Amino acid sequence: MAGSTKKKKEKEIKNAWLKYDEKQLKEVDALSDEYIDFISECKTERECVEKIVEMAKKLGYKNLSSVKKAKAGDKLYAVNKGKAIALFIVGKEPLEKGMKILGAHIDSPRLDIKQNPLYEDTELALLETHYYGGIKKYQWVTIPMAIHGVFCKKDGTTVKVVIGEDPADPVVGISDLLIHLAQDQMDKKAAKVVEGEDLNVLVGSIPLKDEEKDAVKANVLKLIKDKYGVDEKDFLSAELEVVPAGRARHYGLDRSMVIGYGQDDRICAFTSAKALFNCKSTDRTAACILVDKEEIGSVGATGMTSAFFENTVAELLDKCGNYNELKVRLALQNSHMLSSDVNAAFDPNYPSVMEKKNCAYLGRGMAFSKFTGSRGKSGSNDANPEYIAKLRAALDKYNVFYQMAELGKVDQGGGGTIAYIMAKYNMEVIDSGVALHNMHAPWEVASKADIYETEKGYEAFLKEI
Ligand code: MN
Ligand code: MN
């Protein structure tokens, strides 16, 4: 299937797999293998930031706060509270000429453990959770789950937790009712089949000997104390996330896809970071910003609405010896951004929610949305056609496969991203990214060709815009 297609015909094919030669197929595999490792190891925003910092340091990136001066060619990063990161390659042009910004989010739907979580009922120990982001709750029961996160102790130390990923580890999970007793449950609406308050995670069933009250709970607390040196009160200042356990995998008999947890939006985060890491030199400053809290509205100090990025740009200008308030504003206003988030790929099982001429398809490359939103594009960032034309020229120059896609047909639903927040600075922004099947389910599916095309698209953006 590879190699023989003539240049002229390449323009007509839509499926990216048809254009690859042997060398490119190897590159597709290599990138997706690295990606599979990334999403298997990084299942929280903190783990993503840690990994990206490790990758950046190997390439000579330095912490912005540790340098006194910055100049063209410097590679710098700034971390916000361990849960968001901005990376820069300082350009030859002054910062106020604007930046080329790749942005994505690194938080994903999951179940967060509450602050007073542990209780015992009929000699079973359970943890209370509050789900994070939009989920179909019935999808999150009867699957092996892992616990990732941190306990922050009063003495100022932080203890990291990862239980359920090593094959030797135990996993935890949430029960569902057996079909034999589910007559009433099966009559309920899907939104009520499993209710949020019932997403309680089963974590133990052995009573501690000689303990009179809540002996199973006491045993779980003893295990946690022995392993992590924390007691029950330390849940008050913990951030623990219950996520699907286990590694991402190759998907499809032809291994053309990836199934894994948290691909929304670590698939765009990973490819954005890789494109920056592959960027050798740049005229205008190149940036990559990976943020938290998108799934709950980009709120909070580590979300996109935080002043973190703006402050970091101010600090960078200062270290370039060039700070004033106007220059900060110009640096943002004159920027171009690919605000990347996942899109919905057409699914033959559910054709009715899509408009076939204007939706994304697995294997057809990077997906762009001029607008998203719902009910008359409400909440959307409607990208300017002048900017889209520039992008088309850049992508075509490097033969990147891309598709224009709206998330679902008109008035079917819709979704928001971080694009509108960056557009407030009056910069050029468009939504782009990789299309998925099963978005927001415990296991999401992406095409390896789309991962590859999207990374190449980001590289073309950094070279040409
Ligand atoms: Mn999402
Ligand atoms: Mn997303």
Side-chain angles (χ1 to χ4, degrees):
M1 74 181 175
S4 62
T5 349
K6 288 201 182 75
K7 259 248 142 60
K8 201 174 160 217
K9 208 164 170 227
E10 272 181 13
K11 286 287 167 201
E12 293 154 23
I13 57 171
K14 285 183 174 168
N15 193 308
W17 290 104
L18 294 174
K19 74 162 174 170
Y20 297 140
D21 57 22
E22 287 303 321
K23 181 176 166 273
Q24 281 177 309
L25 283 173
K26 284 209 175 90
E27 287 175 12
V28 172
D29 275 342
L31 185 68
S32 59
D33 284 350
E34 195 186 340
Y35 171 64
I36 284 174
D37 285 343
F38 181 83
I39 56 169
S40 299
E41 289 161 25
C42 304
K43 293 194 178 179
T44 67
E45 42 290 303
R46 286 173 194 269
E47 289 167 356
C48 288
V49 167
E50 227 169 272
K51 183 72 185 177
I52 295 287
V53 167
E54 183 193 312
M55 290 162 83
K57 276 185 173 170
K58 277 189 192 148
L59 295 166
Y61 282 75
K62 292 200 170 67
N63 195 325
L64 178 63
S65 64
S66 74
V67 302
K68 289 209 168 65
K69 283 196 177 345
K71 56 175 190 319
D74 284 358
K75 297 186 228 169
L76 300 160
Y77 69 87
V79 170
N80 186 14
K81 298 171 175 62
K83 297 196 280 189
I85 184 169
L87 303 116
F88 300 89
I89 303 175
V90 181
K92 298 174 194 96
E93 302 268 2
L95 206 58
E96 62 269 27
K97 297 260 171 159
M99 296 166 280
K100 297 176 279 192
I101 306 170
L102 298 169
H105 71 90
I106 47 177
D107 58 313
S108 296
R110 59 181 188 247
L111 311 177
D112 284 339
I113 292 177
K114 289 189 189 182
Q115 265 32 78
N116 294 300
L118 188 61
Y119 68 99
E120 177 167 340
D121 191 339
T122 59
E123 286 158 42
L124 297 173
L126 297 109
L127 293 168
E128 293 272 5
T129 68
H130 190 151
Y131 65 97
Y132 174 96
I135 61 168
K136 290 172 157 182
K137 291 160 207 115
Y138 64 79
Q139 293 178 330
W140 293 71
V141 296
T142 73
I143 55 172
M145 304 283 272
I147 303 174
H148 290 234
V150 291
F151 282 105
C152 296
K153 302 210 287 184
K154 282 201 292 183
D155 64 6
T157 59
T158 293
V159 186
K160 277 189 219 164
V161 176
V162 180
I163 312 168
E165 298 296 348
D166 190 310
D169 278 357
V171 291
V172 294
I174 298 158
S175 63
D176 194 6
L177 198 52
L178 62 167
I179 184 69
H180 315 72
L181 297 179
Q183 198 177 326
D184 291 347
Q185 186 195 33
M186 298 301 279
D187 284 340
K188 290 180 184 173
K189 281 191 173 171
K192 299 270 177 188
V193 166
V194 174
E195 301 215 43
E197 202 54 77
D198 298 332
L199 293 171
N200 302 313
V201 181
L202 182 58
V203 294
S205 63
I206 301 179
L208 190 66
K209 280 199 179 121
D210 306 322
E211 186 80 23
E212 284 190 4
K213 194 170 171 281
D214 289 348
V216 177
K217 174 181 166 180
N219 194 42
V220 167
L221 285 171
K222 182 177 178 299
L223 287 171
I224 294 172
K225 178 92 189 168
D226 290 349
K227 182 151 186 195
Y228 298 107
V230 297
D231 56 38
E232 189 170 11
K233 285 267 186 235
D234 291 320
F235 277 105
L236 294 175
S237 50
E239 205 165 76
L240 298 167
E241 307 179 7
V242 181
V243 297
R247 287 179 57 81
R249 308 275 297 266
H250 304 282
Y251 194 66
L253 299 180
D254 57 5
R255 306 167 78 89
S256 60
M257 297 164 277
V258 173
I259 186 164
Y261 163 69
Q263 301 203 63
D264 176 3
D265 182 32
R266 291 169 194 145
I267 198 165
C268 298
F270 172 80
T271 43
S272 290
K274 283 295 283 185
L276 187 77
F277 292 157
N278 288 338
C279 177
K280 298 289 171 250
S281 78
T282 181
D283 44 4
R284 292 194 298 157
T285 295
C288 174
I289 172 159
L290 308 176
V291 293
D292 181 24
K293 300 280 179 278
E294 192 279 339
E295 295 295 355
I296 58 169
S298 297
V299 294
T302 53
M304 193 68 250
T305 46
S306 150
F308 166 67
F309 185 62
E310 196 179 327
N311 292 348
T312 304
V313 170
E315 188 177 349
L316 183 57
L317 267 167
D318 185 45
K319 293 200 169 162
C320 291
N322 208 10
Y323 172 81
N324 70 40
E325 172 60 23
L326 178 63
K327 284 179 178 170
V328 176
R329 294 189 196 196
L330 290 175
L332 291 162
Q333 170 166 287
N334 292 330
S335 288
H336 292 76
M337 180 175 190
L338 294 181
S339 167
S340 287
D341 207 341
V342 292
N343 208 310
F346 182 84
D347 183 344
N349 283 336
Y350 301 97
S352 66
V353 297
M354 295 296 191
E355 191 264 277
K356 274 189 153 180
K357 294 183 294 307
N358 289 284
C359 66
Y361 295 84
L362 290 182
R364 291 196 187 173
M366 187 173 185
F368 286 87
S369 293
K370 176 165 160 45
F371 39 80
T372 53
S374 55
R375 294 175 305 281
K377 294 155 70 172
S378 166
S380 157
N381 159 65
D382 200 342
N384 294 315
E386 293 87 347
Y387 178 39
I388 298 175
K390 261 192 203 178
L391 289 168
R392 285 174 59 210
L395 295 163
D396 286 343
K397 183 170 172 185
Y398 292 90
N399 195 25
V400 175
F401 272 34
Y402 62 94
Q403 46 189 335
M404 282 287 166
E406 196 175 347
L407 196 150
K409 68 183 185 186
V410 174
D411 287 343
Q412 185 68 47
T417 65
I418 59 171
Y420 76 98
I421 302 161
M422 299 303 273
K424 280 198 238 176
Y425 293 113
N426 198 23
M427 65 174 73
E428 296 283 6
V429 194
I430 186 167
D431 284 296
S432 63
V434 182
L436 302 181
H437 275 181
N438 301 0
M439 194 197 297
H440 281 213
W443 298 99
E444 300 172 313
V445 172
S447 159
K448 291 180 183 178
D450 296 338
I451 297 169
Y452 180 77
E453 294 302 315
T454 302
E455 197 276 335
K456 290 290 168 234
Y458 295 148
E459 285 189 26
F461 167 81
L462 292 179
K463 282 180 191 144
E464 297 296 316
I465 298 299

